Amino acid sequence: MISNSEPVDMRTATYQPAREEMARTGAINYEINQSWLPMMTDGRLQEKLTEMLNGLGAGSSILPPLQIDFGRQVTLANNVFINHSVMMSAAGGLRLKRGFRSPHEST
């Protein structure tokens, strides 16, 4: 689909898989952002993140609200913490290494 930060012409049929991935991920973003508090207490947040992302390592989490455009392009290693209000446009792929911590002020 999309990799190695290659340019993409979203008007072509070859971009269809990317549009589908953005729709899939957007639906999960919406579900998480609408119900994040109960999801955090009953374990569904981790389930939804696992469904959304390419990989969610042990002990890793993202606090909602969140906005991720290409979930299957995002991989979190073990013990990654991303604070609330993150926005990831990861068309070219995003891998966060073990132990990465994201304070709210990060850009």
Side-chain angles (χ1 to χ4, degrees):
M1 182 174 60
I2 300 171
S3 62
N4 301 322
S5 301
E6 297 170 1
V8 175
D9 182 354
M10 57 192 280
R11 298 167 293 186
T12 66
T14 58
Y15 195 68
Q16 181 64 28
R19 288 194 301 264
E20 291 170 0
E21 174 58 11
M22 286 173 40
R24 183 193 74 83
T25 303
I28 299 170
N29 281 318
Y30 180 82
E31 187 176 352
I32 289 171
N33 290 334
Q34 296 302 308
S35 304
W36 64 269
L37 188 55
M39 283 185 171
M40 288 181 71
T41 58
D42 67 13
R44 287 181 298 143
L45 178 59
Q46 293 304 98
E47 291 173 12
K48 284 296 172 184
L49 291 172
T50 299
E51 179 184 343
M52 179 191 292
L53 305 178
N54 183 49
L56 181 68
S60 293
S61 190
I62 303 173
L63 294 183
L66 53 89
Q67 176 61 44
I68 300 172
D69 292 342
F70 296 92
R72 288 194 178 125
Q73 299 290 87
V74 177
T75 303
L76 306 183
N78 293 341
N79 301 313
V80 171
F81 172 75
I82 300 176
N83 212 341
H84 62 87
S85 304
V86 68
M87 194 285 182
M88 296 181 190
S89 183
L94 180 62
R95 293 183 194 163
L96 298 178
K97 294 182 179 182
R98 181 175 43 111
F100 177 85
R101 298 283 184 254
S102 171
H104 180 63
E105 295 82 21
S106 292
T107 56

